């Protein structure tokens, strides 16, 4: 059984109830600057980019880029005439292509036929050890076998936050941080590609570190918060449909097959306020991959005949998370939220939410195209491209392929809270799937996006989550009531958005602690009262700042795919 307090992760027994913690935000914002817990070896200064370990703030015509000393990459921010913003990254460690994309690619890739695309698809393991099942190529499939085409897609809906996941946001339904696998194909042995494939695979066979890949990610400023009430899960559904061919590349499997044939993979995830598409590929094939990728945002077909299969794909992804305590808890939070706010939605989507409207005469294809035309506009797009080519070359490619994205969408979409999101004082006891007892309490804080340098929430989470002598956890352990405690704001879209930031305290209870759940809550509030009385301590900020600077300077390099997603989803 779960006990939950106002938006948290209810586990075996978990406590969930809305609380009213008042933080000293204004005082904390005056304290020394420090960095986030999620570190990236880059810090941009520009309001257009900035999340995790990077910050972005527009400085008139100049953009300051602060890098870790170990970061050899070069960066350039590009603003296209249509309003699209792009971050270009040159990585000198990525080998330059051995031949001209203008010549060899046109000859080789242009002559690539459907008969060359019969490689079997496999799945990569997720970072969390889970694995996604993948289907065969479906160019010759008919009947019920066509349903397996959906397995090429990501497991997102929506907020995986891969993430979101992307060591941060996840790759599946980003709202529950359930990571998806990525499908990759075996290399075929066509004569055209034998030489290239041997070069790509040679390092793996010899035990040498694999060659770095090129990657790109594009985030559009619309997500599940924009779902219409009569078609919940529409943003996630649209994400799936964009993979189903474009005017320039009408074959449904063109994009996936091209990437898998050249050592790459693709995925996407739908968050509450944005949707992110991304891929990686062997560096020599970045240009043709960008060509195919850009068509998602210029001329997708959104084929009627593919809709039923993709509804099934969305439904399958929802079925996969039915036994996830985190995802079930998230849906409880949504279901109990104020019905007038987008929090109160079924953002995953499933067969019922997407097919039932059709039975009422709703033109679902028209709804998909309507959302695309209204929101998939250049001013709401942020692109990040990483490759081994010089910045000028990357710039030319971005201008060539993404300059045709439709103008518009100049204003960001906001979802302010006009009244309490949850009814105060509510307690939910939820039976968990896993054998565990957990107390979860959530406080609704204002959007702290503008305080990314001060990070007041990290100050509080550091103190509440401390495990040393004199900490709240040490007292709970001494009483035999708890075995673990974590505190802070998650990376997903439900936890961080323009409406609010959700500060959560999650306590793993013992059997004895479960019977003393209200005493545990009492001790937590006593601790919070003590923190308010002693007020913010500068030495704590300085300690956190020092640790943040060290982690920024010596941050481990992320994979190309994770890195571009991290930067584009700012």
């Amino acid at each position: 059984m779960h006990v939950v307090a106002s938006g948290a992760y209810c586990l075996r027994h978990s406590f969930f109830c809305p609380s009213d913690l008042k933080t000293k935000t204004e005082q904390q914002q005056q304290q020394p600057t420090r960095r986030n817990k999620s570190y990236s070896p880059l810090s941009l200064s520009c309001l257009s980019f900035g999340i995790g370990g990077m910050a972005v703030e527009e400085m008139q015509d100049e953009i300051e880029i602060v890098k870790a000393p170990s970061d050899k990459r070069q960066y350039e921010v590009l603003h296209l005439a249509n309003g699209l913003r792009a971050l270009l990254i040159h990585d000198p460690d990525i080998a330059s292509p051995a031949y001209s994309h203008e010549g060899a690619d046109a000859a080789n890739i242009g002559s690539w036929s459907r008969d060359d695309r019969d490689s079997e698809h496999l799945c990569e393991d997720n970072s969390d050890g889970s694995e996604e099942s993948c289907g065969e190529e479906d160019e010759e499939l008919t009947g019920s076998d066509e349903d397996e085409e959906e397995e090429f897609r990501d497991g997102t809906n929506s907020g995986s936050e891969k993430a979101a996941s992307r060591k941060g946001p996840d790759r599946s339904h980003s709202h529950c941080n359930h990571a998806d696998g990525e499908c990759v194909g075996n290399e075929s042995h066509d004569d055209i590609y034998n030489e290239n494939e041997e070069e790509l695979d040679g390092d793996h066979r010899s035990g040498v570190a694999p060659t770095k890949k090129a990657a790109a990610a594009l985030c559009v400023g619309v997500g599940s918060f924009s779902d219409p009430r009569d078609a919940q899960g529409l943003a996630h559904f649209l994400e799936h449909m964009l993979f189903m061919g474009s005017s320039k590349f009408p074959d449904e499997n063109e994009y996936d097959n091209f990437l898998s044939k050249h050592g790459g993979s693709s995925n996407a995830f739908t968050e509450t306020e944005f949707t992110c598409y991304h891929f990686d590929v062997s560096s020599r094939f970045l240009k043709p991959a960008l060509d195919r990728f850009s068509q998602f945002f210029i001329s997708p077909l959104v084929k009627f005949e593919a809709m039923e299969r993709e509804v099934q794909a969305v439904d399958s992804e929802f079925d996969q998370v039915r036994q996830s305590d985190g995802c079930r808890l998230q849906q409880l939070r949504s279901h109990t939220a104020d019905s007038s706010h987008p929090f109160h939605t079924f953002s995953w989507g499933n067969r019922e939410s997407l097919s039932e409207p059709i039975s009422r005469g709703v033109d679902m294809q028209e709804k998909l195209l309507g959302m695309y035309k209204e929101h998939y506009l250049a001013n709401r797009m942020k692109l990040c491209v990483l490759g081994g080519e010089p910045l000028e070359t990357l710039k030319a490619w971005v201008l060539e392929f993404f300059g045709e994205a439709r103008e518009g969408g100049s204003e960001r979409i906001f979802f302010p809270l006009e009244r309490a999101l949850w009814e105060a004082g509510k307690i939910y006891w939820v039976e968990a799937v896993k054998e565990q007892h957990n107390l979860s309490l959530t406080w609704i804080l204002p959007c702290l996006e503008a305080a990314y340098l001060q990070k007041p929430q990290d100050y509080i989470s550091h103190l509440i989550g401390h495990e040393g002598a004199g900490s709240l956890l040490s007292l709970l352990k001494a009483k035999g009531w708890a075995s673990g405690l974590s505190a802070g704001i998650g990376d997903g879209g439900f936890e961080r958005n323009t409406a609010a930031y959700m500060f959560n305290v999650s306590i793993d209870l013992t059997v004895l602690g479960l019977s003393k759940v209200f005493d545990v809550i009492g001790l937590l509030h006593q601790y919070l009262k003590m923190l308010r009385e002693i007020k913010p301590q500068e030495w704590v900020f300085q300690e956190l700042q020092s640790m943040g600077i060290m982690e920024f300077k010596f941050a481990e390099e992320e994979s190309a795919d994770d890195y571009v997603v991290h930067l584009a989803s700012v």
Side-chain angles (χ1 to χ4, degrees), residues 543-555:
E543 181 179 276
L544 293 171
Q545 181 187 43
S546 297
M547 291 190 296
I549 291 174
M550 290 296 290
E551 292 196 46
F552 178 80
K553 287 183 177 180
F554 301 102

Side-chain angles (χ1 to χ4, degrees), residues 53 68 150 422 449 493 537:
E150 58 87 6
W422 289 290
E449 191 175 275
Q537 302 293 302

Side-chain angles (χ1 to χ4, degrees), residues 239-278:
E239 170 217 306
H240 277 246
M241 291 301 299
L242 294 197
F243 284 82
M244 296 292 99
S246 62
S247 297
K248 187 173 183 180
F249 301 100
D251 182 9
E252 292 180 10
N253 296 315
E254 166 72 19
Y255 174 69
D256 285 317
N257 286 343
F258 178 83
L259 293 176
S260 63
K261 198 174 188 74
H262 301 298
S265 61
S266 69
N267 216 326
F269 59 96
T270 305
E271 265 292 0
T272 54
E273 296 181 319
F274 69 87
T275 305
C276 187
Y277 302 81
H278 55 99

Side-chain angles (χ1 to χ4, degrees), residues 240-488:
H240 277 246
M241 291 301 299
L242 294 197
F243 284 82
M244 296 292 99
S246 62
S247 297
K248 187 173 183 180
F249 301 100
D251 182 9
E252 292 180 10
N253 296 315
E254 166 72 19
Y255 174 69
D256 285 317
N257 286 343
F258 178 83
L259 293 176
S260 63
K261 198 174 188 74
H262 301 298
S265 61
S266 69
N267 216 326
F269 59 96
T270 305
E271 265 292 0
T272 54
E273 296 181 319
F274 69 87
T275 305
C276 187
Y277 302 81
H278 55 99
F279 73 87
D280 62 13
V281 71
S282 171
S283 60
R284 69 177 68 239
F285 296 104
L286 176 59
K287 183 180 181 181
L290 285 172
D291 189 8
R292 288 158 174 78
F293 183 59
S294 66
Q295 295 305 309
F296 282 39
F297 317 103
I298 297 173
S299 61
L301 296 179
V302 190
K303 299 177 181 178
F304 178 81
E305 57 269 26
M307 289 174 57
E308 176 58 29
R309 285 172 300 178
E310 293 309 304
V311 167
Q312 179 58 44
V314 172
D315 191 66
S316 295
E317 291 170 9
F318 174 65
D319 282 340
Q320 291 172 14
V321 301
R322 280 180 180 271
Q323 299 304 308
S324 165
D325 283 311
C327 294
R328 294 167 75 232
L329 212 292
Q330 180 58 68
Q331 195 53 47
L332 173 63
R333 287 191 286 181
S334 297
H335 182 72
T336 56
D338 175 21
S339 60
S340 67
H341 195 274
F343 265 103
H344 185 79
T345 186
F346 177 54
S347 53
W348 275 277
N350 62 4
R351 177 172 292 281
E352 181 179 353
S353 71
L354 296 172
S355 294
E356 190 273 337
I358 298 176
S359 66
R360 292 187 280 103
V362 175
D363 187 337
M364 192 59 70
Q365 185 181 35
E366 187 62 32
K367 281 218 176 261
L368 288 167
L369 292 172
M371 175 174 275
Y372 181 85
K373 291 175 182 178
E374 180 179 359
H375 297 294
Y376 276 63
L377 303 171
N379 270 311
R380 289 189 180 142
M381 296 180 182
K382 290 185 289 185
L383 171 70
C384 184
V385 178
L386 184 156
E389 293 76 11
L391 289 174
E392 282 303 312
T393 300
L394 297 177
K395 179 178 179 179
W397 292 353
V398 168
L399 291 172
E400 176 184 355
F401 296 132
F402 294 89
E404 296 180 30
R406 291 180 303 125
E407 296 183 17
S410 57
E411 294 185 4
R412 181 179 177 184
I413 309 173
F414 290 90
F415 301 90
L417 278 178
E418 297 181 354
R419 54 176 178 261
L421 190 58
W422 289 290
E423 183 180 350
K426 284 286 186 179
I427 298 175
Y428 299 89
W429 297 79
V430 182
E431 184 171 354
V433 175
K434 294 182 178 180
E435 286 293 328
Q436 53 193 320
H437 310 298
N438 179 272
L439 166 64
S440 182
L441 303 97
T442 297
W443 287 265
I444 304 174
L445 305 182
C447 177
L448 298 174
E449 191 175 275
Y452 68 89
L453 290 178
Q454 291 81 15
K455 300 199 172 41
Q457 70 275 17
D458 287 0
Y459 175 93
I460 302 172
S461 64
H462 173 72
L463 295 177
I464 296 177
H466 200 275
E467 300 180 354
S471 66
L472 174 61
L473 179 59
S474 66
L475 175 59
L476 294 175
K477 282 185 173 181
K479 290 179 174 292
W481 294 353
S483 59
L485 183 153
S486 62

Side-chain angles (χ1 to χ4, degrees), residues 220-234:
V220 184
V222 63
S224 61
F225 274 0
S226 298
D227 283 346
R229 290 290 173 164
D230 61 347
Q232 294 184 47
L234 188 70

Side-chain angles (χ1 to χ4, degrees), residues 176-242:
C176 69
N177 293 329
H178 174 75
D180 271 16
E182 297 176 335
C183 295
V184 197
N186 288 335
E187 304 293 348
S188 67
H189 298 285
D190 300 323
D191 292 339
I192 291 177
Y193 299 106
N194 279 347
E195 180 180 352
N196 296 340
E197 289 164 7
E198 288 174 4
E199 292 175 10
L200 291 173
D201 295 338
D203 288 345
H204 292 281
R205 289 194 296 266
S206 64
V208 179
T211 304
K212 282 186 174 182
K213 294 181 181 180
L218 188 147
C219 286
V220 184
V222 63
S224 61
F225 274 0
S226 298
D227 283 346
R229 290 290 173 164
D230 61 347
Q232 294 184 47
L234 188 70
H236 183 198
F237 187 23
L238 178 59
E239 170 217 306
H240 277 246
M241 291 301 299
L242 294 197

